[in-house]
Amino acid sequence: MRKKCPFVFDILDKQKEEEMKAAESNGADVSLIEKKYINEKRKIYEEYAADYVDEISKSAAAEQVVRNAQYNSDLKELEKLHAKKLISDEEYEKKKADITERYSIDTAKAAVDSLEEQISVENLSQDDREKLAEQLQKAKADLANAEADAEIAAIKRVQDEEEDSYKKTDEECSAMDGCCV
């Protein structure tokens, strides 16, 4: 960090040096001046960290815009196939659910990744770190819910397919004059 803005720290060091000389010549407490400049430097580091976190957040938002566009594009393509009767209603609903579930999970994973990257930034203020930690907990819960919802939906689809298969078998047996047991 010091390498990025040496002039800011150089200015602070010169101001500190001048105040220290004045304090020493007056017999004042130099430890207060030390504390003052330590706090000033800490604030600068925290500002740079907050700016870096903002850049990470903006990058994640831009990636989300791309993800949203891809999701909409995938759905439109699927709707075209369905409108042209190239896929059945059942297949359309299944693929739509798959796309939506994948999108939800990808979005939730990206949010977790972004927040983990943000929280790992050095020199972040304690307040900012705590806010990010809360957001990360929520994002992880959202990811777990999205994954659970997708798993539940997949199980439901398998159960529905099995039920349809049983019904079809029953209908075939009935059509064959009840020869099935």
Side-chain angles (χ1 to χ4, degrees), residues 6-23:
F7 62 91
V8 173
F9 293 108
D10 288 343
I11 292 169
L12 279 178
D13 288 341
K14 287 178 183 173
Q15 288 174 343
K16 175 184 164 187
E17 188 179 313
E18 289 174 17
E19 284 188 41
M20 295 287 277
K21 284 180 185 177

Side-chain angles (χ1 to χ4, degrees), residues 1-6 9 44-46 48-49 121-123:
M1 185 80 62
R2 190 172 171 96
K3 293 176 185 175
K4 289 185 178 179
C5 274
F9 293 108
I44 291 169
Y45 281 124
E46 288 176 355
Y48 283 122
V121 171
E122 291 183 32
N123 300 310

Side-chain angles (χ1 to χ4, degrees), residues 6 13 34 58 67 69 103 128 132 135 147 157 164 173:
D13 288 341
E34 285 286 343
K58 288 176 185 174
R67 212 173 359 270
Y103 169 79
D128 288 345
L132 288 172
Q135 292 173 2
E147 289 174 334
R157 284 192 296 271
D164 289 346
C173 284

Side-chain angles (χ1 to χ4, degrees), residues 3 11 13 25 28 30 38 43 77 91 98 126 128 130 142 156 178:
K3 293 176 185 175
I11 292 169
D13 288 341
S25 68
V30 294
I38 287 171
K43 286 179 189 175
E77 190 62 34
E91 189 176 359
D98 288 342
Q126 188 62 30
D128 288 345
E130 287 172 3
D142 291 345
K156 176 81 170 115

Side-chain angles (χ1 to χ4, degrees), residues 4-171:
K4 289 185 178 179
C5 274
F7 62 91
V8 173
F9 293 108
D10 288 343
I11 292 169
L12 279 178
D13 288 341
K14 287 178 183 173
Q15 288 174 343
K16 175 184 164 187
E17 188 179 313
E18 289 174 17
E19 284 188 41
M20 295 287 277
K21 284 180 185 177
E24 287 170 354
S25 68
N26 294 334
D29 187 3
V30 294
S31 67
L32 294 175
I33 296 169
E34 285 286 343
K35 288 179 184 177
K36 172 185 171 184
Y37 283 95
I38 287 171
N39 285 335
E40 287 296 320
K41 286 183 179 181
R42 180 186 47 79
K43 286 179 189 175
I44 291 169
Y45 281 124
E46 288 176 355
E47 287 173 10
Y48 283 122
D51 288 346
Y52 186 52
V53 165
D54 285 344
E55 290 302 315
I56 294 169
S57 180
K58 288 176 185 174
S59 176
E63 291 172 5
Q64 184 61 39
V65 167
V66 171
R67 212 173 359 270
N68 291 348
Q70 183 63 51
Y71 171 70
N72 289 329
S73 174
D74 289 351
L75 285 181
K76 287 293 179 197
E77 190 62 34
L78 185 62
E79 288 171 7
K80 287 178 187 177
L81 293 173
H82 185 247
K84 292 178 182 178
K85 304 287 186 202
L86 297 174
I87 59 174
S88 67
D89 291 345
E90 184 178 311
E91 189 176 359
Y92 168 77
E93 290 300 328
K94 182 180 180 296
K95 287 185 178 194
K96 182 179 174 185
D98 288 342
I99 291 168
T100 301
E101 290 163 8
R102 183 175 25 111
Y103 169 79
S104 295
I105 291 171
D106 289 349
T107 295
K109 282 181 181 178
V112 168
D113 291 346
S114 173
L115 288 164
E116 285 177 340
E117 184 179 0
Q118 291 174 50
I119 209 165
S120 72
V121 171
E122 291 183 32
N123 300 310
L124 199 57
S125 73
Q126 188 62 30
D127 287 344
D128 288 345
R129 193 170 301 284
E130 287 172 3
K131 288 176 189 171
L132 288 172
E134 288 175 17
Q135 292 173 2
L136 179 58
Q137 285 303 101
K138 183 186 178 312
K140 285 182 175 181
D142 291 345
L143 174 58
N145 286 336
E147 289 174 334
D149 289 347
E151 190 172 335
I152 290 166
I155 291 168
K156 176 81 170 115
R157 284 192 296 271
V158 167
Q159 289 173 338
D160 289 348
E161 288 174 7
E162 287 176 352
E163 188 176 312
D164 289 346
S165 175
Y166 291 138
K167 284 181 183 177
K168 186 176 179 181
T169 301
D170 282 346
E171 289 171 3

